[in-house]
Amino acid sequence: APATETDLFAAGSYRGSIYLYDVRSGQEEAELGAGVAVGGVTQLRFLSSDANYLFSGSRRGETAEESHVVCWDVRSSGHPVTAYPRTARTHQRIGFDLDPTSRFLATGSDDSRCLIYDLATGALAGEVPSKDAVNGVAFHPLGAPMLALSSGTRHVDMRPNSAAQSDEESESEGRAKRQKQVDAGSTVSHKISHEEGFRLEIFTLSLLGVSTP
């Protein structure tokens, strides 16, 4: 994750380390949170309005807190400034995003929710329920009050073969039916569903109870 206003570049690792590098020299400048337990780092983002703050997302921490989204002050490599709760208990990458105005943070969660936090207060400003793990979130890049979510995860069917086969046949029939609808010109503009259950949804923040300027 490069910082647009400085010469710093941040890199994380699956063992929970976060390092800052000088882009010009390539030298390591600091390690954030040395000795602070976090899960495997899967995402890093600098705050667009103030590159002194870096946000990290992790997965599969030994405790629930180790998978939260964490805000760090790069001027102080000690303990985090604050953390934003979510769950990321599996190897699946769970994404987060910062809105262009630096007012909100939205994060996915593997408990089938998208959580939206107010960065000024740290409070939960809203949440969006989903039918499966929310693995990706994105605010509108130009500041429109819109939020896109992707959800879905792979599930292992541990039932006897006969029950699983019956479900597969039903799903096959469902796919054929959906394909006929698409061929007939039936589309849904705000929701795109993959045949394996992965889906993309787009919401207006005001409809989620999140107040925007």
Side-chain angles (χ1 to χ4, degrees), residues 15-47:
R15 68 183 180 90
S17 303
I18 302 173
Y19 296 96
L20 298 176
Y21 294 91
D22 187 310
V23 175
R24 296 166 299 178
S25 66
Q27 297 298 312
E28 179 186 324
E29 293 292 313
E31 179 183 1
L32 296 182
V36 178
V38 296
V41 178
T42 57
Q43 185 179 1
L44 294 167
R45 283 283 304 273
F46 282 96
L47 189 66

Side-chain angles (χ1 to χ4, degrees), residues 145-147 202-210 212:
M146 301 176 70
L147 180 68
I202 300 174
F203 298 89
T204 301
L205 292 180
S206 61
L207 297 178
L208 305 178
V210 177
T212 57

